[in-house]
Amino acid sequence: ADHPIETPPRAPSPVHRFGTLAVHAGSPHDPTTGAVIEPISLSTTFAQTAVGKPVGQYEYSRSSNPNRENFEKAVAALEHAKHALAFASGSATTAIILQSLAAGSHVISVSDVYGGTHRKGARCQSYVYARDRVDISEHITPETKLVWIETPSNPTLRLVDIRAVASQAHEHGIMVVVDNTFLSPYIQNPLDHGADIVVHSVTKYINGHSDVVMGVAAFNSDAMKERLGFLQNAIGAIPSAFDSWLAHRGLKTMHLRVREATTNATAVAKALEGSPHVIAVNYPGLGSHPHRAIALRQHRNGMGGGMLSFRIKGGHAAAERFCQTTSLFTLAESLGGIESLIEVPSSMTHAGIPKEQREAVGVFDDLVRVSCGIEDAEDLKADVLQALEKAVVASK
Ligand SMILES: C=C(NCc1c(COP(=O)(O)O)cnc(C)c1O)C(=O)O
């Protein structure tokens, strides 16, 4: 047809279920061509018909871009948020949220967080690591503005009762940020439990194909949108149009991938728990997990997600040997992709945290972190068990 489409398709409404929102939210058909999948808008600048009068709503890609906006709308819909803003990485998202605080603000963080997040706070006097995962009261000061939660935590898979921490924090006018990277919006929606901001390393489950580095924050506050939106443009740590397009495409199948990864992680965790070569398994989907009750309250159907970690007998040497003996699990940093990955946090993702601080939160030298992909569960189980046998028997 050579005429513009009269009636663009109805946008999905919030009453739709997750899978429908994942496929349709932030995905208008192109009003001119009718393209069902949005084109990639690579132009960094947009023509103006007169001074200060752009043709459409866009002027310059750092300030806003069609692909980034559509991705942000999709994330907001899936996190039950009014707003979402995308950044160049999960680390950039964390940094910009911290930058949005007034100078001299104090931050309370749970102590077992991703190494990159930990290092941002470790050098700031205005940061305290709370071992206790619910009662933050002893750490609150008149300058405290933010509580940073990672649940499940990277790499020990501890959980935090978001609602309990949020009710304490809000009594003191303190905001709560939850890093929801390990579960994705499919399994957990922190804003529904009282959090003020939810953040993701999009690099992980949301994009889900280990080919994009990106971050995103979602929230309801208009004032926060103005503040973080200003910093998004002023600092310019933004994702490219192509990365936004890729991440939006990945998001559309996230629920299918996360379901499959959870099935696989559950099977691998049970196999590890039954092995004589394993000291302990950290997986919120197991009945043995110390915070299982929180998972049943906060996670969709009590799902454990695709991430787990375990302590292998034989120390760091056995952990290293294990990671060099698997054939399906690739030894590499990162997580949440379609391929299964393993790593030794004490020497890799959390190496920057001093040993005594690492071990105080359970990141021992014999800890192996596992990101289960969407391969076949039986193949993954067999790979883990054969590597365990070889790694531990060889260390005797
Ligand atoms: C790269 C890894 N983590 C990144 C990460 C980040 C940082 O995201 P980046 O997109 O890698 O900058 C934030 N939050 C959590 C919970 C994370 O796990 C890793 O643990 O292998």
Side-chain angles (χ1 to χ4, degrees):
D2 56 2
H3 52 75
I5 295 171
E6 297 299 326
T7 52
R10 277 183 312 108
S13 74
V15 299
H16 284 132
R17 293 174 175 77
F18 192 95
T20 304
L21 285 174
V23 170
H24 294 288
S27 303
H29 296 165
D30 185 291
T32 310
T33 66
V36 170
I37 295 300
E38 62 179 324
I40 302 173
S41 172
L42 295 176
S43 181
T44 56
T45 189
F46 299 83
Q48 306 199 6
T49 53
V51 174
K53 295 196 181 325
V55 169
Q57 68 183 81
Y58 302 103
E59 294 179 9
Y60 185 55
S61 233
R62 168 164 41 81
S63 308
S64 58
N65 166 282
N67 299 107
R68 186 171 92 216
E69 277 191 2
N70 285 338
F71 172 70
E72 290 169 339
K73 283 176 186 161
V75 171
L78 298 184
E79 279 290 14
H80 309 163
K82 187 174 180 185
H83 307 293
L85 290 171
F87 300 93
S89 64
S91 302
T93 308
T94 304
I96 284 171
I97 289 171
L98 296 177
Q99 166 106 22
S100 73
L101 302 176
S105 294
H106 176 253
V107 175
I108 300 171
S109 170
V110 293
S111 45
D112 47 335
V113 292
Y114 163 57
T117 304
H118 188 281
R119 74 172 153 241
K120 285 181 188 57
R123 301 192 183 186
C124 308
Q125 291 72 20
S126 56
Y127 226 88
V128 67
Y129 288 105
R131 289 290 315 285
D132 186 307
R133 311 178 59 69
V134 177
D135 182 4
I136 59 169
S137 54
E138 65 173 312
H139 300 291
I140 293 175
T141 74
E143 290 72 35
T144 306
K145 296 290 185 294
L146 197 69
V147 175
W148 193 279
I149 291 173
E150 207 175 85
T151 183
S153 60
N154 178 358
T156 55
L157 286 295
R158 284 191 180 85
L159 306 183
V160 175
D161 183 330
I162 298 169
R163 190 169 298 284
V165 172
S167 61
Q168 270 193 68
H170 292 162
E171 279 174 16
H172 300 270
I174 298 168
M175 278 195 302
V176 175
V177 180
V178 175
D179 186 330
N180 195 26
T181 298
F182 264 37
L183 287 180
S184 90
Y186 179 61
I187 295 180
Q188 177 174 259
N189 298 120
L191 302 187
D192 292 352
H193 301 286
D196 300 287
I197 302 174
V198 52
V199 300
H200 289 274
S201 167
V202 172
T203 315
K204 314 300 187 295
Y205 283 107
I206 291 180
N207 176 62
H209 291 75
S210 304
D211 52 14
V212 168
V213 173
M214 191 186 291
V216 71
F219 44 87
N220 289 314
S221 159
D222 293 340
M224 185 56 68
K225 169 69 163 41
E226 199 286 325
R227 180 77 179 123
L228 292 182
F230 167 79
L231 292 173
Q232 182 192 47
N233 181 50
I235 295 173
I238 53 149
S240 73
F242 182 51
D243 278 354
S244 300
W245 184 86
L246 278 175
H248 196 173
R249 178 168 71 162
L251 171 146
K252 292 173 186 280
T253 59
M254 172 172 53
H255 56 301
L256 306 177
R257 293 185 280 102
V258 171
R259 272 206 291 262
E260 198 63 17
T262 297
T263 300
N264 289 346
T266 303
V268 169
K270 285 177 179 171
L272 287 167
E273 200 170 43
S275 168
H277 305 315
V278 170
I279 299 168
V281 181
N282 304 314
Y283 184 60
L286 291 177
S288 58
H289 192 283
H291 302 146
R292 182 64 186 148
I294 296 177
L296 291 169
R297 273 203 309 278
Q298 276 180 190
H299 300 185
R300 177 191 295 264
N301 306 326
M303 293 169 71
M307 295 301 296
L308 63 97
S309 59
F310 69 97
R311 293 186 64 187
I312 191 170
K313 289 179 181 172
H316 190 268
E320 272 192 296
R321 248 194 311 281
F322 174 84
C323 290
Q324 283 151 355
T325 314
T326 54
S327 56
L328 283 179
F329 288 81
T330 301
L331 172 59
E333 294 195 1
S334 200
L335 58 109
I338 51 176
E339 70 291 315
S340 293
L341 303 175
I342 44 176
E343 62 116 2
V344 181
S346 62
S347 305
M348 295 169 70
T349 52
H350 293 64
I353 301 177
K355 184 177 174 70
E356 64 278 2
Q357 286 183 39
R358 279 203 311 261
E359 297 202 338
V361 293
V363 184
F364 298 102
D365 287 348
D366 56 14
L367 188 76
V368 176
R369 188 189 76 184
V370 181
S371 172
C372 287
I374 59 172
E375 299 93 340
D376 184 280
E378 290 310 309
D379 291 340
L380 294 178
K381 267 172 50 180
D383 193 29
V384 161
L385 293 174
Q386 64 83 23
L388 267 179
E389 197 63 32
K390 289 176 188 165
V392 177
V393 168
S395 69
K396 284 176 177 163

